Structures are given as C-alpha cells and as structure tokens.
Amino acid sequence: MDRSSIAIVGVGAMGGALLSGLLEAGWTPADLTLIEAYEPRAAELREATGCRTVTVPSDGIDGQDIVVLAVKPQDIHGALLQLAEVLTADQVLVALVAGVPISVYERALGEVPVIRTMPNTPALVGEGITACAAGAHATADHLAMARTVLSAVGLVEEVDEALMDAVTAVSGSGPAYAYLLAEAMVAEGIRQGLDPATALRLTARTIRGAGTMMETSDDDPSVLRERVASPGGTTAEALAVMDRRGFVDVVREAVAAATDRSIELGEIAAGQS
Ligand SMILES: NC(=O)c1ccc[n+]([C@@H]2O[C@H](COP(=O)([O-])OP(=O)(O)OC[C@H]3O[C@@H](n4cnc5c(N)ncnc54)[C@H](OP(=O)(O)O)[C@@H]3O)[C@@H](O)[C@H]2O)c1
C-alpha cells in the first residue's frame, strides 16, 4: 500500500474517524500529523495515537503529501486563510466539508489540487461511503491518492461535482432516514410486546442485512422486496399500508428537499468566500 504522509486539519468526529481508520489500515503515527488548535485536546490525541500534533497549520503542513480538511463549514474561511499561507501545488487538499464548492477552495488556494468529498457517519465504524469530485488542478493520480485515504473508512465513489448535492441527499443524510425507519420499527415492536433491546437488535440487524443483500445481490431492491412479500402474507399487508400512506412519495420528496437544501447551502458558502 502506498502510504502518503497526511496532515488532518480538524480532528473532530469525521477527522477522528478517518484518523482511526488510517491507523487500522496500516498508516503509522509517523505518517500522520494532526492540526488541533486546543493544546489540551492536542495532548490527548498525542497520548492516544502517538501522532505528531501541532496547533497551527503553518507548523504541520510543510512536506505533507495530503492535507485533509475536516472542520465544520462555518470554520472553513478561517482554516483556508491559514492554509493559503502554507499549502503548495505539489500537495493535495482532500476536503471533507459538506456543501462547500471546489471553487471556494480554488479561489483561496490557487493551483492546489482539490478533491471535494462527501462522507457519511458510518465512517465512524469503517462502514461509510464517501463520494469524491476532483477540482480543476487535480489529476487522476491525485484522485487515486484521495481514494486510498478515504478507503480507510469505507467505500469510495467518484462523481462529477454537479452530483454532490444528490450524493449529500442520498448517502450524506441517508443514515438519518434509516434511523427514522428504525425508530418506528422499534417503537411498534415494543408496543407489540418485544423488549426494547430485542426490538433494537432485530431492527438494526434487519436493516444491515438488507443493505448487505442489496450490495451482494444482482437483483434490484424491488426484486428483493417482492421475494420477501408473498401474496396474502404479512409483508404484503405491511407494504400495502406503506403504499396507501404514500411512503415512496414521502421518501422521494424528502430526498428532493435535501438536494435543494444542499444546493442552497452551497450557494451561501460560495457567496461568502
Ligand atoms: N459528522 C458527520 O456526520 C459528517 C458527515 C459528512 C460530512 N461531515 C463534514 O465533516 C466536517 C467535520 O464535521 P465533524 O462532525 O467532524 O465536526 P467536529 O466534530 O466539530 O470537528 C471539527 C474539528 O475541527 C476543529 N477546527 C475548527 N477550525 C480549525 C482550524 N482552523 N484548525 C484546526 N482545527 C480546527 C474543531 O475544533 P473546535 O471544536 O475547537 O472548534 C473540531 O475539533 C464538516 O465539515 C462536516 O460537513 C460530517
């Protein structure tokens, strides 16, 4: 495996998940530099991981192959001001920041290759899926480097940047849709007599198993669904209720609304730069 040297700017939930994934995937602490402004937290990270920590990008970016930016969207402009002083065009910026267009980075950083990504929270358990899109100065090699890094926390898809809003609505926000479905299944399972822990185990493994079936089967989800639903049976009865109550339309409207909101947030982020 090609182990690029990596600096992570912002070691919160997502940056921390990537850090754990990289260490599990074979990166060593010597390959990784963590940029964490708050020294007590930096000390904790040093202690826990053995990685070098610095409090400002100007001390940790020089010589890194890849710089991962994992700060919240509202912190992006401060971070870009710091990075603009030190990042060079022979490094790659892999941005994990939701909704911020590549144009914002390129305006701030000039010719630095940028890979914009959209991860999702199952990255925290190594089961994420991250979409990535390349900026104007990023080559296939840069994309391959980003893919290797992001693979540490799950699967990776390459998409055109124009599709990032749809990705955000489907896989970025998607875990919340699955949790809402789970909440409803658990609540009704409990009302029907299951104890809460059993109801949760049954639901969680059912959603996970259905996901694995979709990933491994050649059949479409609609075919898999039909196979569970024998005529006159219990599943058919449940699906008839979902159909009557417009389940599919509700979900489609929700995904469309998330896409629209992602477009709006991107426009705000671009306007602020
Ligand atoms: N978590 C998710 O579900 C998820 C999913 C998809 C995408 N993302 C994206 O991932 C990014 C990070 O989200 P998160 O949930 O991991 O946020 P988080 O837990 O708040 O982590 C962000 C970290 O960045 C630090 N930070 C802010 N400005 C910095 C700077 N200039 N230099 C160094 N560190 C800095 C913050 O420190 P302080 O706390 O001290 O400010 C914090 O530790 C976001 O842009 C989000 O859109 C997250």
Side-chain angles (χ1 to χ4, degrees):
M1 181 186 59
D2 172 24
R3 288 196 336 248
S4 315
S5 60
I6 301 171
I8 302 178
V9 183
V11 194
M14 207 34 93
L18 186 65
L19 170 63
S20 307
L22 288 168
L23 289 169
E24 268 175 41
W27 265 260
T28 68
D31 304 317
L32 304 169
T33 298
L34 311 178
I35 295 160
E36 165 57 54
Y38 185 53
E39 177 47 36
R41 166 103 178 111
E44 270 173 34
L45 286 167
R46 258 196 319 275
E47 179 82 7
T49 65
C51 297
R52 179 166 82 109
T53 65
V54 299
T55 51
V56 283
S58 53
D59 290 340
I61 297 297
D62 191 31
Q64 306 291 338
D65 301 317
I66 296 176
V67 175
V68 173
L69 184 59
V71 303
K72 290 272 193 209
Q74 61 266 30
D75 292 328
I76 184 85
H77 295 294
L80 282 179
L81 280 175
Q82 293 174 318
L83 287 174
E85 288 174 14
V86 283
L87 209 53
T88 57
D90 57 355
Q91 298 173 301
V92 187
L93 182 78
V94 175
L96 269 58
V97 187
V100 176
I102 291 171
S103 59
V104 168
Y105 302 107
E106 290 181 342
R107 221 173 297 151
L109 303 173
E111 303 210 333
V112 172
V114 175
I115 309 291
R116 172 182 169 187
T117 77
M118 183 65 213
N120 65 4
T121 51
L124 300 170
V125 292
E127 299 263 337
I129 184 154
T130 304
C132 53
H137 311 294
T139 64
D141 284 349
H142 296 132
L143 256 175
M145 286 165 80
R147 178 180 268 282
T148 308
V149 170
L150 298 165
S151 299
V153 288
L155 302 178
V156 182
E157 293 277 337
E158 283 163 34
V159 298
D160 283 341
E161 188 181 22
L163 294 173
M164 273 297 187
D165 300 302
V167 166
T168 302
V170 171
S171 60
S173 303
Y177 317 153
Y179 299 137
L180 185 61
L181 176 64
E183 284 172 61
M185 288 168 69
V186 169
E188 191 54 26
I190 293 169
R191 202 180 74 82
Q192 298 294 341
L194 293 171
D195 70 81
T198 305
L200 181 58
R201 267 198 310 279
L202 291 171
T203 300
R205 184 47 78 134
T206 298
I207 291 175
R208 178 179 170 169
T212 305
M213 293 277 290
M214 285 190 279
E215 280 184 346
T216 55
S217 168
D218 290 334
D219 292 320
D220 211 59
S222 63
V223 174
L224 297 173
R225 167 174 53 78
E226 280 160 13
R227 240 176 247 148
V228 188
S230 43
T234 58
T235 312
E237 198 63 26
L239 293 173
V241 173
M242 288 174 161
D243 195 34
R244 262 199 320 276
R245 301 292 288 259
F247 181 80
V248 170
D249 287 345
V250 166
V251 174
R252 290 187 63 161
E253 196 180 322
V255 174
T259 308
D260 290 347
R261 182 65 181 147
S262 176
I263 293 168
E264 265 172 29
L265 291 174
E267 285 168 357
I268 293 168
Q272 283 171 347
S273 69

